[in-house]
Amino acid sequence: MTTKTLKIDFVSDVSCPWCIIGLKALEQAADRLKGEVALDMHFQPFELNPQMGPEGQDITEHLQEKYGSTPEQLERNREAIAARGADLGFTFGKGKRSRVYNTFDAHRLLHWAEEKGLQPQLKHALFKAYFTDGQDPSNHEVLVRVAGEVGLNVDEARELLASDRFAEEVREREQLYLQNGIHSVPAIIINERHLIQGGQPVEVFEQALRQIASQV
């Protein structure tokens, strides 16, 4: 049996909990199909809060404003997300994440990491920094340190963040997906034709990958 390679455009934000849930589930589905299906992963930018200021916002206040959620609903959602993460081997640090931040610079760094062949590693490390460790993904020192941890050059990372390099490219990609009707994430586009949305269970991704691969 020959392995079929599927191109994945994984549209997501590093401050979106369902995005790491979706990513882990997709990766585990691909593991189940090892030898049948391989994934050519490309992480595409999406900002949940593009207007967010540099100081960020208290997460409870932000979610109440955005969705009208009660504190009880927010707590139930947090517990459900933590449980889904735990099932997939990802830890949402309890009480660690108190603010929502602007993620534009994280997306610029991810664009650069793709050129260096380390984009998946950086994406996972940024999810961990925010959701597990409660760190600020808009803070340049945090971004530089995380870049260094996955093998990227820290001086280059610092220089990039101090400039506006890749700002235009990231905005263009964000607009492309918005214009194509992507308004919630994760949005997983397979072979530029098939769309799966949300943090689906492993079985849903497995079935979809197998079916699409059979048509290639």
Side-chain angles (χ1 to χ4, degrees):
M1 185 186 291
T2 55
T3 302
K4 304 280 185 69
T5 299
L6 302 178
K7 184 189 178 198
I8 307 287
D9 287 299
F10 194 97
V11 187
S12 61
D13 198 353
V14 298
S15 64
C16 158
W18 290 104
C19 292
I20 179 58
I21 285 170
L23 177 57
K24 294 288 284 184
L26 176 64
E27 289 173 337
Q28 289 181 24
D31 282 343
R32 290 183 183 182
L33 297 171
K34 201 159 263 179
E36 292 177 59
V37 177
L39 304 185
D40 173 25
M41 293 284 289
H42 301 270
F43 291 97
Q44 305 294 359
F46 186 97
E47 287 180 83
L48 290 170
N49 303 292
Q51 309 308 321
M52 185 63 67
E55 71 291 344
Q57 184 183 14
D58 176 81
I59 194 164
T60 301
E61 178 187 290
H62 173 76
L63 292 170
Q64 284 174 335
E65 278 178 17
K66 195 168 185 176
Y67 302 111
S69 308
T70 66
E72 293 75 26
Q73 286 170 325
L74 290 174
E75 186 53 36
R76 279 200 302 275
N77 287 347
R78 267 194 285 268
E79 286 172 6
I81 285 167
R84 280 291 304 278
D87 286 345
L88 292 161
F90 184 83
T91 302
F92 285 91
K94 193 166 173 60
K96 291 282 191 180
R97 191 167 47 108
S98 60
R99 297 187 78 74
V100 175
Y101 298 97
N102 186 293
T103 55
F104 185 70
D105 284 343
H107 287 300
R108 289 199 297 127
L109 204 63
L110 282 160
H111 188 97
W112 170 62
E114 183 170 31
E115 290 187 354
K116 301 294 183 184
L118 288 167
Q119 196 188 39
Q121 293 88 332
L122 181 61
K123 187 76 169 182
H124 274 284
L126 288 169
F127 278 134
K128 180 183 179 294
Y130 182 52
F131 289 112
T132 307
D133 304 330
Q135 293 171 348
D136 174 359
S138 69
N139 180 292
H140 285 190
E141 286 311 308
V142 169
L143 291 173
V144 168
R145 196 197 69 248
V146 172
E149 286 170 1
V150 301
L152 289 158
N153 182 297
V154 292
D155 294 326
E156 267 189 79
R158 190 173 282 110
E159 195 178 305
L160 181 154
L161 291 166
S163 72
D164 63 356
R165 194 173 162 206
F166 298 131
E168 197 175 321
E169 289 86 342
V170 168
R171 286 200 180 95
E172 276 176 11
R173 285 200 191 178
E174 287 178 338
Q175 284 308 308
L176 171 73
Y177 291 106
L178 287 170
Q179 286 161 9
N180 279 282
I182 303 294
H183 296 289
S184 65
V185 287
I188 297 99
I189 303 161
I190 305 172
N191 280 358
E192 300 180 349
R193 288 184 57 201
H194 309 274
L195 173 66
I196 302 173
Q197 290 196 283
Q200 301 292 341
V202 177
E203 292 72 21
V204 171
F205 284 120
E206 183 184 1
Q207 187 180 355
L209 293 174
R210 182 177 279 122
Q211 190 176 342
I212 293 164
S214 72
Q215 299 162 5
V216 175

